[in-house]
Amino acid sequence: MSRLSNIYVTCWMLRGFSHASALGEVDLAEAGPGEADDDDHVVTIALGAMTHLGEMRKKLGLEENQPLHIRMGVRSGGCSGMSYVMDVCKPEDVTDDDHIEDWAAEKVRCVIDPKSLLYLFGLQLDYSNELIGGGFNFQNPNAETTCGCGKSFNV
């Protein structure tokens, strides 16, 4: 079973499934085309967020073949108990323990530390240009409560 499959099993067990067999015998590493396209990412990046990340990549002056590395995580604090953390990082800051979400066509890599991985599982990242409430938006299915600004949550 692949490392990502193990994460799925763990998250399913945390969500109340009592048996790892709830996933069946599917190994994500062996899934064919279309069988694991969106399911193979822990985090989903919506078109608005991906477009903004592409603009950030250009502003940073990265070379054509060099991906933008975004480190995502959670930390204690915020209105609801935990808050999202997201920042640009350098490729040399990525450790062996980090989980990497790779969007090769868009040249974007999302780096997630192991402790944050379970909190971010299923998260959808979007972006809005709105004057009030704009910026990156986090839609987390694991959050039991979310503050009004959407930047912190509780599980």
Side-chain angles (χ1 to χ4, degrees):
M1 191 178 279
S2 70
R3 180 176 173 195
L4 188 55
S5 295
N6 290 334
I7 293 166
Y8 274 105
V9 170
T10 303
C11 289
W12 278 57
M13 293 171 80
L14 289 174
R15 289 183 179 177
F17 290 92
S18 58
H19 303 294
S21 63
L23 288 175
E25 297 298 318
V26 176
D27 185 356
L28 295 176
E30 297 176 336
E35 293 178 35
D37 44 24
D38 280 340
D39 292 337
D40 62 350
H41 287 291
V42 171
V43 174
T44 303
I45 300 180
L47 181 60
M50 192 62 79
T51 301
H52 188 72
L53 290 171
E55 292 169 4
M56 288 176 55
R57 194 177 163 287
K58 288 178 187 173
K59 287 180 182 177
L60 290 170
L62 296 176
E63 294 180 20
E64 183 62 31
N65 62 347
Q66 186 179 7
L68 173 68
H69 287 75
I70 300 293
R71 181 170 288 281
M72 294 181 70
V74 296
R75 67 173 184 206
S76 296
C79 308
S80 298
M82 300 186 86
S83 59
Y84 300 104
V85 180
M86 191 169 96
D87 201 2
V88 176
C89 71
K90 297 177 182 175
E92 54 268 17
D93 295 336
V94 178
T95 68
D96 290 338
D97 291 336
D98 288 330
H99 174 77
I100 299 173
E101 300 278 291
D102 193 10
W103 287 270
E106 293 83 3
K107 296 179 182 71
V108 172
R109 286 191 181 150
C110 181
V111 181
I112 305 171
D113 66 272
K115 290 181 182 178
S116 299
L117 196 57
L118 291 176
Y119 295 108
L120 297 180
F121 184 83
L123 178 111
Q124 180 175 5
L125 181 67
D126 203 352
Y127 185 83
S128 170
N129 286 322
E130 299 295 320
L131 183 60
I132 298 175
F136 285 104
N137 300 312
F138 303 89
Q139 298 168 357
N140 191 340
N142 302 308
E144 291 180 10
T145 58
T146 304
C147 73
C149 70
K151 306 298 185 212
S152 69
F153 68 101
N154 191 4
V155 288

